[in-house]
Amino acid sequence: MKLWGGRFEKGTDKLVDDFNSSIRFDCRMYRQDILGSIAHSNMLGKCGIISIEESTLIQNTLRDILKDIEDGKIEFEVDAEDIHMNVEKILISRIGDTGKKLHTGRSRNDQVALDIRMYLRDEITAISRMLIALKKNILKISEENTATILPGYTHLQRAQPITFAHHMMAYFEMFRRDYSRLSDCYSRMNMLPLGSGALAGTTYPLDRHMVAAELGFSDVTRNSLDAVSDRDFAIELASCLSILMMHVSRLSEEIILWSSHEFGFVELDDAYSTGSSIMPQKKNPDVAELARGKTGRVYGSLMTLLTVMKSLPLAYNKDMQEDKEAIFDAVDTVKMCLPVFSSMLATMKLRKANMYKAAQGGFTNATDIADYLVKKGIPFRSAHEIIGKMVLYCIDKNKAIDEMTMEEFKSFSDKIQEDVYTEISLEKCVSGRSLPGGPAAETVLKAVQEGREYLASLE
Ligand code: ARG
């Protein structure tokens, strides 16, 4: 018999049982469900809604059930529909009528809203820790590479010389914002929905703040209809995770490019690459590719959640049971990606000579020669044109700008002097850009230092 079977004259069809049941995927919230029930029954006892003895018996039995689940001694039933009713059914089977008092002043609607919030809070904490580890690795790589020059790109065309440290610190900033987005998401999620009942609250004199404090919520939700019927916190999390994965996918893409023969900027460690079953020479960046691919999967979860929630009238609708698999999959995927991605980065070898060579080609110092002419009194737009012609000439002669003789330089502008050679060296191009946010070594080192202090503040 169902816990809600009173008004029914016959049982549900087996097909409906299977269709309705969410235990297959919501059983992972067993811990949160039980901790929530312990806090609820504790409060029921303290508020005199049930007796202290009853409350104590319920709490102790729930603790036993938790232990039994963790010890693998319990098999959940599909017929009992979801984790909430499975736990309640086990409780009742152990302590009879007293167990039937647990659900006083509560609905599965505020219960499930509680459980998901608690579950996702923990997952945000776990993902945030992984992000910190990733950011630490990035800082280390950056610190070691403030003099590793490579071309910076726009349109995937060589643009201006930068350093590998500067490039990696760009990702540090992205992951820092991802972290901060997750913290914001956590704080909006961190409101206790219990006490909202099915939709209209309850007449029992519950102490919502007591439960909130016991379960670590910063406040109680302010509207019972809203509390049981929105899943924006899950959508927000999926959106934070999508943005985070978008960043992971961009760095993955670069690593895939960099490790190609054509770039040859990095070599992945053997432990983080795979071979081909037919081509003996292959060493493939599968980890980066999978991380790139799994990004699509996380976006998919976001779209699922948005679409499930679209146009749902207030308050709870069963459609909302579909929130779980989507958000769980997004969370699982990110948790699977981050550690392996992070270790792949940390073990990656840099081929600095190839990076430098690439920066020497492609006229990456052209802007700096234009700026050189500006410093000698030529307006920027005219300087731009002169250097444009110079580049065309160099392409024709198949040489880099700094390989030109003084005579060749002079044929473009008599303002050019011997100092041009030092002024347009790659090193100078980088070191000259020392404004805050720029690639100069001392600027990047400062950013690394600041990054370390920021990470320390998170611990
Ligand atoms: N398993 C349900 C869910 O995940 C729990 C809430 C069900 N409430 C209800 N009135 N059917 O959404």
Side-chain angles (χ1 to χ4, degrees):
M1 159 104 161
K2 297 274 193 277
L3 290 178
W4 41 253
R7 65 98 65 219
F8 289 78
E9 287 174 352
K10 59 177 176 183
T12 33
D13 190 283
K14 167 90 175 64
L15 281 175
V16 175
D17 269 344
D18 292 345
F19 188 62
N20 238 357
S21 177
S22 53
I23 187 65
R24 208 176 63 252
F25 48 85
D26 66 16
C27 60
R28 63 160 81 192
M29 303 193 301
Y30 69 87
R31 198 183 161 74
Q32 290 74 18
D33 191 74
I34 292 177
L35 294 179
S37 289
I38 291 175
H40 179 67
S41 54
N42 182 37
M43 178 276 296
L44 290 178
K46 293 215 166 107
C47 293
I49 299 165
I50 61 176
S51 75
I52 292 291
E53 294 71 38
E54 288 168 331
S55 165
T56 309
L57 178 61
I58 292 174
Q59 290 179 60
N60 289 341
T61 314
L62 284 169
R63 279 189 202 98
D64 293 342
I65 296 173
L66 177 58
K67 182 155 190 320
D68 289 348
I69 295 175
E70 270 163 1
D71 292 345
K73 290 189 190 147
I74 287 184
E75 262 197 38
F76 295 119
E77 290 173 22
V78 173
D79 292 15
E81 209 173 309
D82 52 27
I83 185 62
H84 327 295
M85 289 203 292
N86 264 278
V87 170
E88 196 181 336
K89 215 169 159 186
I90 300 166
L91 179 74
I92 294 169
S93 75
R94 294 193 183 182
I95 57 173
D97 280 352
T98 307
K100 292 184 182 168
K101 297 194 174 184
L102 166 65
H103 210 51
T104 312
R106 193 176 69 170
S107 155
R108 263 191 301 155
N109 295 352
D110 56 356
Q111 189 179 357
V112 70
L114 171 76
D115 292 5
I116 319 174
R117 281 172 162 90
M118 286 176 68
Y119 184 85
L120 294 181
R121 274 192 325 192
D122 293 348
E123 296 292 40
I124 290 178
T125 306
I127 291 172
S128 300
R129 278 207 202 100
M130 292 174 174
L131 259 183
I132 292 181
L134 171 62
K135 285 187 285 189
K136 270 192 188 145
N137 282 345
I138 292 181
L139 277 188
K140 184 163 178 288
I141 298 172
S142 302
E143 195 162 37
E144 293 164 0
N145 286 288
T146 53
T148 308
I149 292 177
L150 81 166
Y153 294 80
T154 63
H155 314 268
L156 204 55
Q157 307 282 327
R158 283 176 236 179
Q160 291 177 337
I162 53 167
T163 65
F164 197 69
H166 194 53
H167 199 105
M168 291 309 287
M169 285 304 284
Y171 283 102
F172 186 84
E173 290 300 320
M174 297 175 222
F175 292 130
R176 182 172 173 159
R177 287 193 296 277
D178 289 328
Y179 185 97
S180 134
R181 259 186 287 275
L182 285 171
S183 314
D184 288 351
C185 176
Y186 186 107
S187 57
R188 266 186 290 279
M189 183 184 294
N190 200 22
M191 303 260 234
L192 176 89
L194 275 195
S196 304
L199 74 162
T202 173
T203 54
Y204 295 99
L206 308 182
D207 186 341
R208 299 188 65 203
H209 288 98
M210 181 194 292
V211 181
E214 185 170 336
L215 295 176
F217 285 92
S218 61
D219 206 345
V220 301
T221 51
R222 287 182 290 262
N223 180 291
S224 63
L225 281 171
D226 169 53
V228 292
S229 70
D230 207 348
R231 293 291 181 267
D232 58 351
F233 56 88
I235 297 177
E236 187 175 351
L237 177 56
S239 145
C240 296
L241 297 179
S242 294
I243 298 174
L244 162 59
M245 286 302 291
M246 177 269 290
H247 290 148
V248 168
S249 79
R250 295 187 74 178
L251 184 47
S252 296
E253 170 78 7
E254 299 206 293
I255 289 170
I256 293 161
L257 284 172
W258 292 340
S259 60
S260 70
H261 210 79
E262 285 67 17
F263 273 80
F265 286 3
V266 301
E267 180 167 355
L268 294 178
D269 193 84
D270 279 1
Y272 291 91
S273 334
T274 46
S276 157
S277 58
I278 172 167
M279 298 167 282
Q281 85 284 11
K282 289 298 285 286
K283 182 168 173 186
N284 297 328
D286 282 26
V287 171
E289 290 171 72
L290 259 183
R292 186 177 61 178
K294 283 179 189 290
T295 303
R297 183 170 173 149
V298 176
Y299 291 4
S301 295
L302 173 61
M303 280 319 294
T304 299
L305 288 165
L306 284 168
T307 313
V308 164
M309 293 306 294
K310 178 180 177 295
S311 318
L312 285 187
L314 299 188
Y316 179 83
N317 298 268
K318 186 77 169 187
D319 314 44
M320 289 158 64
Q321 180 165 286
E322 289 291 312
D323 61 352
K324 283 168 217 63
E325 284 162 296
I327 192 64
F328 292 164
D329 191 71
V331 160
D332 292 349
T333 304
V334 171
K335 281 172 74 183
M336 204 149 81
C337 285
L338 286 183
V340 62
F341 183 78
S342 186
S343 311
M344 174 191 67
L345 263 191
T347 52
M348 175 175 87
K349 273 191 213 60
L350 307 188
R351 297 189 150 169
K352 301 183 188 179
N354 287 349
M355 290 185 185
Y356 194 83
K357 219 161 99 205
Q360 282 175 314
F363 309 103
T364 60
N365 52 0
T367 313
D368 291 75
I369 310 175
D371 289 342
Y372 171 90
L373 289 182
V374 170
K375 281 174 208 145
K376 303 277 177 184
I378 296 179
F380 180 75
R381 214 21 90 207
S382 313
H384 188 286
E385 199 188 331
I386 294 170
I387 305 306
K389 294 209 171 94
M390 194 184 280
V391 167
L392 206 57
Y393 172 85
C394 287
I395 292 172
D396 188 47
K397 296 277 180 266
N398 194 23
K399 52 165 77 173
I401 297 179
D402 33 337
E403 284 167 357
M404 293 203 305
T405 62
M406 205 56 228
E407 215 171 84
E408 286 174 304
F409 270 126
K410 289 276 188 209
S411 71
F412 289 94
S413 166
D414 55 9
K415 301 267 190 216
I416 303 180
Q417 289 151 344
E418 270 303 322
D419 63 345
V420 73
Y421 292 105
T422 50
E423 287 303 307
I424 64 170
S425 71
L426 294 181
E427 286 73 12
K428 193 68 194 274
C429 292
V430 171
S431 69
R433 290 177 161 76
S434 56
L435 286 183
E442 82 261 21
T443 311
V444 175
L445 275 178
K446 244 187 248 160
V448 169
Q449 187 47 37
E450 197 275 329
R452 279 205 198 294
E453 283 158 23
Y454 150 75
L455 281 187
S457 76
L458 302 178
E459 316 257 15

